[in-house]
Amino acid sequence: MTLAQRDLKHIWHPCSQMKDYETLPPIVIDHGSGVFLYDTDGKEYIDIVSSWWCNLFGHCNPKIGDAIKVQLDQLEHVIFANFTHEGAITLCEQLLDLIPAGLTKFNFSDNGSAAVECALKMAFQYQYQSGHKKKTRFMCLSDAYHGETIGALSVGAMDLYANIYKPMLMDTIAVNAPDCYRCAYGKQRDNCTCECFNHAETAFEHYGDTACAMIVEPLLQGSAGMRIYPPLYLKKLRKLCDHYGVLLIADEIATGFGRTGKMFAFDYAGISPDIMCLSKGLTGGYLPMSITVATDEIYNAFYADYKEGKAFMHSHTYSGNPLGCAAALAVQKIFREEDVLVRAGKRSTYLSKRLKETFADHPNVGEIRSIGLIHAIELVADKQSKRGFASDLRMGYQIYKRALVHGLLLRPLGNVIYFNPSLMITEEEIEEAIRRCVLAVEEVL
Ligand SMILES: Cc1ncc(COP(=O)(O)O)c(C=O)c1O
């Protein structure tokens, strides 16, 4: 029996219709190096999606690997209630200098969804313990994605993931999200003043008094198809949240750590959220770790004599795992020593130019949009009307399958194909990825 056959006997893969594996069996990866993955037959794949957006500096980066190996011989794990270790302390001290001002208290979990759950519970309990007991509901953007656990799914608004579970979910308020490609106000990206923000204003008028927090993916709605909206929207949202006493939660799980060109997407808006969720790039994609960071004001609402029952009784076995912290510290060291954001900025300019030269005139390319090194190509059936392909054609998936044949891991989001590579990718690697992408697109379209 092959490894793929043995896999299919027992493994239920994430986010997959397992029947699809009849025609596209799992690819068994043997090793990785930089942007490349190699299967057991020695075939090479360019990982242009950073293995679900977490692999920040390439596979098998020796600096991160070595830091984990050193930590492994010292301490693999320790209970994090009443115990601590130097790695976690130093990591928080270093992150404090990078994250938006005012965020000071770090609560560790072990994946992105868990960081979101933690943020939601924190916000709810903060309001309750601050005398705002009616503030119980959450607000989010339409087409938002914040993870797959029940709370995170409730503040997500993508039917693809949430529909079947609706009876289990919290009753949240979804505000119509900006859609800059299909702007309902006929604006272009360069002349917009966020006219669509009126949806948020109306929603807050109705629900602001009972809302406890609003959660957003800042500037980039990733799973919705890499939809990009302007920093002005966040600035306006900050003011609106302040007016109604609604906490603003920034889900920087996908956007954090340089993905958008700045360290955090919120940096573009020059404002701070009340709570911030971090994961993915935090450990360079090496180990599952996440952090929910809050302000002193929120923290202080939980700080009291034990008998008052105000503590945040929330925990995960692997909170603050020392191996994860070692990886995260190595990531921060690379950021400091290798001028990563400057280098990634140059690659981003190059990638934008080359994608536009290659695809802008294609009759089925509706928009090429980008922020940082993240570049998305929205495929449409009709360029003039911006009409998308019917979802049952699975156009993105057809291109994904052809791209694999050509050695490119180009996992789509519906009709959107995208590049979200390692921040260390070179121009040569970009060229090769585009070449393989062109072959796949041409074969399908
Ligand atoms: C914005 C955002 N939030 C939360 C999550 C959930 O993270 P995880 O898959 O680690 O649970 C993701 C994952 O893609 C994400 O993109």
Side-chain angles (χ1 to χ4, degrees), residues 52-53 110-116 144-149 152 215-218 220-223 251-255 277 279-280 288-290:
W52 263 336
W53 319 346
D110 48 22
N111 64 76
S113 307
V116 169
Y145 180 84
H146 297 289
E148 304 287 356
T149 49
I215 183 166
V216 289
E217 295 161 88
L220 177 84
Q221 289 196 287
S223 297
D251 177 351
E252 292 254 11
I253 288 161
T255 50
C277 303
S279 190
K280 293 196 188 275
M289 194 167 91
S290 61

Side-chain angles (χ1 to χ4, degrees), residues 107-124 138-140 144-156 170 213-217 249-254 275-279 290-293 312 314 316:
N107 190 297
F108 285 78
S109 308
D110 48 22
N111 64 76
S113 307
V116 169
E117 298 289 337
C118 176
L120 300 179
K121 287 173 68 183
M122 229 180 228
F124 181 92
F138 289 95
M139 301 178 79
C140 62
Y145 180 84
H146 297 289
E148 304 287 356
T149 49
I150 298 302
L153 262 189
S154 302
V155 290
M170 290 187 290
M214 165 111 193
I215 183 166
V216 289
E217 295 161 88
I249 303 174
D251 177 351
E252 292 254 11
I253 288 161
I275 301 178
M276 191 179 207
C277 303
L278 303 171
S279 190
S290 61
I291 309 182
T292 306
V293 200
F312 190 41
H314 179 97
H316 292 286

Side-chain angles (χ1 to χ4, degrees), residues 30-31 36 52 98 109 126 133 161 254 320 325 349 405:
D30 179 70
H31 62 282
F36 299 105
W52 263 336
L98 297 176
S109 308
Y126 163 79
K133 294 189 179 167
Y161 306 113
C325 290
T349 310
V405 172

